[in-house]
Amino acid sequence: MAKYCREVQEWIEEEIEKPVDEWIEKRVKKCKKKKCKKWCLCCNKWFCWIETTFEKVVKWVVVTVGKWVTRTVCEVVHTTLDIIGLFLGLIFSIPLIGRLIKELWNLISEVANRILGVLDLILCIFGVSWTKKLRICIIILRDEKNTPTSTPEKLKPEIKKAQEIYRNAANIHLIVEGIYTVDNASPSSNLDVGCGFNGWIEDLGLVGSYYERVANSKCFDSNSQRLTGWAAPVIVFAVRSVTGTAAGCSLGPFSDYVTIEGANPECLAHEIGHACTLPHNSEKNNLMNPTCGGTKLNKLQKCILRNSRHVTFI
Ligand SMILES: [Zn+2]
């Protein structure tokens, strides 16, 4: 069962079904409180009862049945797209040509999703920013001796910190779709990765190919979102080391994954920001300061972040 479809169902239950139920409940209470008009054998109470019963029936047909129809359609479409995504992932994992197509596809889907979300971008500029969601799927690599580069327990404090930063700075609910560990030892070139131009070159070769294959199998449930880019989780690889001073790396809109050092995951929130196209910022307490120690975002950064393909309402 797709997690995304379950989340959609929960959203319908919380945002639509619950308020409608509460509204009907209030109406029922009001009916009960009404004083009986004896001259017409309590006709006012009867009419009130008929009205609320009708409302309950309409609610059941529209909301409850609608909710299950949505869930079923979502599951069928989602699973089909997941399987298509898995096969396309095999093409995307072909070094050079497949990787180039994937980078280009990432860029196109980023631009397309930003254009589609332009209305929300304008609202954000004018100060309206309803809660949005951002998903991540974490994959822990294993070194040559089969030892994981990190553990879920080690990552949890940084996940919590990232969730607080995104909630406070941009009203974004950061959802962890899953934390998985690869089954076998990872190639050394994937354990110690480059960044910047080197990272880009590596992404086009066997390094990018391995990440693509692992993401497709471990985060299978999100293949459909990764296919279109919309609501696609940022895939976070916990590696052994990242070349350079920072403990993480992202290729921005060219890729849908980031790398963080498993033993030192302090750059998690920062790299997710890069994945959502945020560049570096020199303000000391800014999230996008290269030191990875900041927590704040300015208004422009907030709106750019919220307009990313990774950040959606449902
Ligand atoms: Zn950075």
Side-chain angles (χ1 to χ4, degrees):
M1 289 290 178
K3 276 185 203 137
Y4 175 76
C5 296
R6 199 176 60 227
E7 281 172 24
V8 170
Q9 185 189 335
E10 283 167 2
W11 183 86
I12 295 173
E13 283 170 352
E14 197 56 34
E15 302 295 326
I16 301 172
E17 195 169 27
K18 206 173 144 193
V20 171
D21 278 340
E22 283 168 0
W23 181 76
I24 292 175
E25 198 54 42
K26 269 185 198 166
R27 302 256 302 145
V28 170
K29 275 182 186 166
K30 256 189 183 175
C31 283
K32 281 180 183 167
K33 277 182 187 169
K34 271 189 180 177
K35 279 188 180 173
C36 168
K37 287 179 181 169
K38 285 183 180 163
W39 60 267
C40 69
L41 299 170
C42 295
C43 62
N44 59 327
K45 287 188 83 109
W46 277 104
F47 283 132
C48 203
W49 180 81
I50 290 166
E51 271 176 30
T52 52
T53 306
F54 178 72
E55 283 158 9
K56 279 180 190 172
V57 171
V58 171
K59 179 255 157 180
W60 188 82
V61 171
V62 177
V63 183
T64 310
V65 175
K67 177 181 77 179
W68 288 108
V69 169
T70 307
R71 174 78 188 256
T72 309
V73 172
C74 180
E75 292 285 357
V76 171
V77 173
H78 203 281
T79 308
T80 309
L81 286 175
D82 276 343
I83 294 166
I84 294 171
L86 186 69
F87 283 107
L88 278 178
L90 292 175
I91 296 170
F92 292 150
S93 65
I94 298 170
L96 202 62
I97 187 70
R99 298 307 300 148
L100 260 176
I101 295 170
K102 180 66 193 268
E103 284 193 359
L104 196 65
W105 180 245
N106 277 326
L107 201 60
I108 291 168
S109 68
E110 178 68 29
V111 173
N113 278 284
R114 282 192 180 276
I115 292 169
L116 288 172
V118 75
L119 187 67
D120 181 55
L121 176 70
I122 294 166
L123 284 172
C124 179
I125 291 165
F126 283 99
V128 181
S129 53
W130 293 296
T131 307
K132 289 185 102 172
K133 291 176 180 173
L134 166 57
R135 296 170 175 83
I136 59 171
C137 182
I138 302 174
I139 301 172
I140 300 169
L141 302 191
R142 286 179 188 273
D143 68 12
E144 295 84 351
K145 289 176 183 164
N146 239 8
T147 310
T149 54
S150 192
T151 61
E153 285 66 37
K154 207 176 272 178
L155 298 175
K156 268 173 191 162
E158 285 305 322
I159 292 171
K160 202 167 166 259
K161 208 165 101 185
Q163 285 172 326
E164 277 169 20
I165 291 171
Y166 281 88
R167 186 174 53 242
N168 296 337
N171 196 18
I172 290 171
H173 177 35
L174 184 71
I175 300 166
V176 181
E177 297 239 297
I179 305 177
Y180 308 97
T181 305
V182 293
D183 305 315
N184 303 306
S186 308
S188 303
S189 52
N190 286 88
L191 288 163
D192 306 301
V193 292
C195 201
F197 182 72
N198 287 343
W200 182 68
I201 294 292
E202 285 178 4
D203 181 62
L204 291 177
L206 292 172
V207 173
S209 170
Y210 174 80
Y211 285 148
E212 183 69 36
R213 280 182 282 120
V214 172
N216 275 324
S217 60
K218 289 292 172 194
C219 305
F220 173 81
D221 204 23
S222 62
N223 281 350
S224 56
Q225 286 107 299
R226 291 176 65 228
L227 200 60
T228 60
W230 185 79
V234 176
I235 311 292
V236 179
F237 286 102
V239 301
R240 184 166 54 197
S241 73
V242 179
T243 314
T245 47
C249 188
S250 163
L251 299 177
F254 288 101
S255 75
D256 54 7
Y257 70 85
V258 300
T259 49
I260 55 163
E261 289 184 350
N264 179 27
E266 61 176 18
C267 287
L268 176 65
H270 175 90
E271 299 308 334
I272 296 169
H274 279 316
C276 298
T277 335
L278 289 181
H280 278 149
N281 183 290
S282 57
E283 290 280 322
K284 209 175 175 187
N285 62 354
N286 194 285
L287 173 67
M288 297 320 292
N289 185 289
T291 55
C292 293
T295 58
K296 304 274 185 264
L297 287 173
N298 62 39
K299 195 178 174 183
L300 182 65
Q301 285 177 311
K302 177 183 167 182
C303 294
I304 291 172
L305 174 71
R306 288 175 57 88
N307 187 232
S308 160
R309 65 190 152 137
H310 298 293
V311 184
T312 52
F313 281 111
I314 53 173

